[in-house]
Amino acid sequence: MLSAFQAQPVIELKQSQKFKVECLLAYGDRLLVGLSNGHLRVYRFNETSTSNGGQASSRPGSGDEAIKDKAKSKSRAVELLREEEDFSRKSVQQLAVIKEAGILISLSDNYVSFYDLQTFELSERLMSTKGATTFAVMSHVIKDDATGIPSIVSKLVVAVKRKLAMWSWQDSEIITADEDITLAASIKSLTWSTGSKVIAGLDPGYVLVDLDSKYSSDIHKTAPVGESGTNVNTRFGAVGSSGMNYVGMGSWIPKPMAAKLAGGELVLARDVNTLFIDENGKPLERRQIPWTTAPEAVGYSYPFLLSLQTSGKGTLEIRNPYTLTLLQSITLPHATILHVPQPNISLAHAGKGFLVASDRCIWQMEALGYDSQIKDLTSRGRYDEAIALIDMLEDTLLYEKKDLRLRDVRMLKAQSLFSAQSYRDALELFSTALAPPAKVIELYPRVIAGDITSIDDNVSEAGSDTESAKSGDPGSPRSKVQAMPVRTKIEADTNDAASISSDQIGKTHQKSHVKKESTTKLEGKDLTFAVNELCAYLAQARVQLQRYISFEHKLKASNLLHEYREGTSAETRSMRYLLSDSIDGIGSDDDLRQSLLDVATLVDTTLFRAYMLTRPRLATSLFRLDNFCAPEVVEEKLYQTGRYKDLIDFLQGKKLHREALELLQKFGKGNAEDEVENEMRGPARTVAYLQQLPFEMIDLILQYVKWPLEEAPQEGMKVFLVDTENAESLPREEVLDFLSTFDPSLSTQYLEHVVNELGDETEDFHERLIDAYLSQLRSYESGKNEVKVEDPVQKKLEQFLRSSSHFNATRMLKKLSEQDARLFESRAILHSKLSQHSKALIIYVFKLQDQAKAEEYCNYTYASATSDNPAGNIVDPDDPSSPNGVYVTLLSLYLEPPSPYEKNFEAALALLSRHGSRLPAYNALNLLPGGLPIKELEAYFIDRMRTATSLAREQAVIQAMSGVEKTRVEAKLRLGAADMDMEADNTTPVAGLNRRIVIAEAKLCNVCHKRLGRSAIRVWPDGEVVHYGCTERRRLRRSGSGGVMIRG
């Protein structure tokens, strides 16, 4: 049982004294004892230090009737100050004090009387209270609505048979005696609910009385569902109701009792029946206190519920008010009086030392330190009660912070649940307590926890894999689960089965062990179930860790270290819990980052092991995403189980590309020890992997692309030719140099891709591609002196020379042999690039002897020169600036060829007939021989005349169109455009030189909104009219151009 309080007798009446103790009142350091002979004794508590948790409390000793304490202390706990023999003629039944008014209230001889608190002389006897049975006093602080000044208001309610009388004091002055309230039956008990409400206990039940409104309402409890299918509300504590009949017991009726708890709750008790209500009288969903006999008195000493049982020798029962578990029983012979001093600050300071009395003895109940109580509960395995106690306490009452202490107890309970094989409840509680992952993982065998396991696995099992155990990874998930011994210590109280969990994690199935070390084996289905529950815990811890550290191993907040040290927010406290709440070794951001990284690595690696043991398919979803798994553990496990594809995906995700490529090369070349999947064979998988690498890893790419290029060159070239961002961003110089030394044909293929498909305009690449084509042409053994039109390399070269302009034509021309017939047209193209049309045409006419290509060359050159004439206007051939020289050059080659070539009149006449309009008459006729018949030139002259006529007509049309345009512009200037804004009357255009503005009588200025009248105005281009004086304001309000000023 818990040792929350110690009973210390402070006063004991001598056997020769015939009077008895009737009532008690403790306030400050005073103790007033009302006796049955009408005397009043006044004692003073002496402060002495105790050894209970280092806390100070009043330590009772002996006065005139006091006895020495068990420790035989020489100092007295109480000291008798005085005895008022004439206090009352009859026994003193009840005492109370209103300290602010200096009044002592007494109930004696069925009257309530006021006494001076200092002299104990009678001040007033309230004659209106004749027949009083009980009273209740309370004090609270209120603020004045007008001034906001706080004041202490004290109230006294007295039960006089069926009537309820009330008196009020504000500070030290009595306000008034309020009007009496009459209830349905005689009042047996009074308990304050709030400052204006009181609970009255009657024989018919309990009543909540509102003293301000004078309204009373019965307190009901919710009965079980009846035959009608609805809840039936019955009056609680009514004599004659179900369970409250007392046939054969004479006139005895149990006394109604009530006590106020923390949080505005109250407990009502009658016989063995109890009801918990709020301060407004509404019943709460709480079970009844499991009393076997009716208590003599009930009370509340923070944070425990008290009840005084008189059956037998007399027992004080101490319970948790929420779980209702019996925590301590103290035997107090013949005790009938329970007195808890009224708190003067908060309930957290109430009941530090309450009093219990019998007829002849008074005990002071000394509270032990709360830390000692919690330690006592946890040592007995009463974790639920320890958690409930911590939840009830204020943070200032504990030596350690409340949340830390609560977390520690929850983790102890979770360990106990784990030892009792309640794995789900244990892991859920570990998660709620934010337990450090290492503390949870170490509870598992080596196959899950690795080297941090706390389990002694030296026990040899038949068929176990010894080598795997040494490496920290025993066996494959395909093998049977090996037996793993679990060695734990369990300390629990035999009564813990009655404990009710306050955090609703689940039912606690703790077994009764008292300091007994037990050894069990976590194997088979138990191991599988425990590991599955661990997966849920690790998944939640993984999410929490990702709030603080990224997968790039960087802290997610710059001020994380400061918040970690201060622990100001819930998230930073959560981070401290995950890191075992140790801040001593963390002095910088790097230390914090490394600590978080270590925990994250442990969590992900353990989660991987758990998945591989119980659900291997889920392991793939873990390591294919970003993770913190330890590479060596995952790599070894996947390799052992033959999951090579998953192994490659994991290494790629961890950016261990060299290791992954080494394995791919090994698998692709067929050098693996075991059988691999068909997908892993050959270079395709390596090529696909290399395509995903960024350009920064060009050295790695070039190193491992060699063997795919050797075995399947076109497959290997996909690394550089694939249409992806990675391939396009590769450093092209390095790739080209690598391919040139490996295989020149592959470098040519890469150059064509870079230049033609990627559009690279680098001059060096273009020239190197030309050189590559020339090298291929030179490599041919035959065909150097004859034209081979069908040669694909020659066609590529010529096409590239025509399309590209990003190379030095002069330098390239020097590389082309003048004797190689395959390069004649290429030379002509280069001459064209250099505007050397005569040399180009000589090649076409005399070397290639292709008049059609020569003419096509002239057409292309002419079209290129007139490309700035998009309208297609006719060009005058006699214009000196016209680009007709190329045709004249061709004509001159036909009629005046160089030696040893002959004239070609037929080709010249064909050129004149087809392109006469492009040949100047002067140059063309001068080249023709004098004896040529005119009839041969008929087509030429007809073409020339048509061209001249077309030019004349074109000029006339242009002149006519210019006149029309001039007329339109003048009309717009004078009359305005048709789409301009109209004036207010929608009849007069407002644009152009004919513009006018009509100022009507009611027209207003758009700035000041006053009438324009005959004031000076300004008209803006958009038709807006304002006062001339409002011009600047209008400029500030909106943009505009200059206006026209008109004076009226």
Side-chain angles (χ1 to χ4, degrees), residues 70 87 101 260 269 463 580 654 866 985 1042:
K70 295 179 181 180
F87 187 76
K260 188 168 184 178
S580 302
K654 300 297 287 185
T866 58
D985 55 3

Side-chain angles (χ1 to χ4, degrees), residues 133-182:
T133 55
T134 185
F135 66 84
V137 175
M138 70 88 60
S139 298
H140 65 288
V141 179
I142 63 171
K143 285 187 178 181
D144 186 86
D145 295 336
T147 63
I149 299 175
S151 59
I152 299 177
V153 174
S154 302
K155 295 181 180 180
L156 166 67
V157 289
V158 181
V160 183
K161 299 181 181 179
R162 294 172 51 197
K163 293 183 180 181
L164 190 64
M166 187 181 76
W167 285 262
S168 301
W169 288 262
Q170 185 166 0
D171 294 333
S172 60
E173 297 180 0
I174 188 169
I175 302 175
T176 180
D178 294 341
E179 182 181 352
D180 295 345
I181 300 174
T182 303

Side-chain angles (χ1 to χ4, degrees), residues 22 57 99 177 218 373 379 416 435 496 570 597 752 786 805 815 829 943:
E22 292 289 339
S57 64
K99 192 174 182 180
D218 295 334
Q373 297 180 32
S379 65
S416 178
D496 195 46
L597 181 59
E752 290 176 343
E786 55 184 84
S805 60
K815 296 182 179 182
I829 295 172
D943 195 8

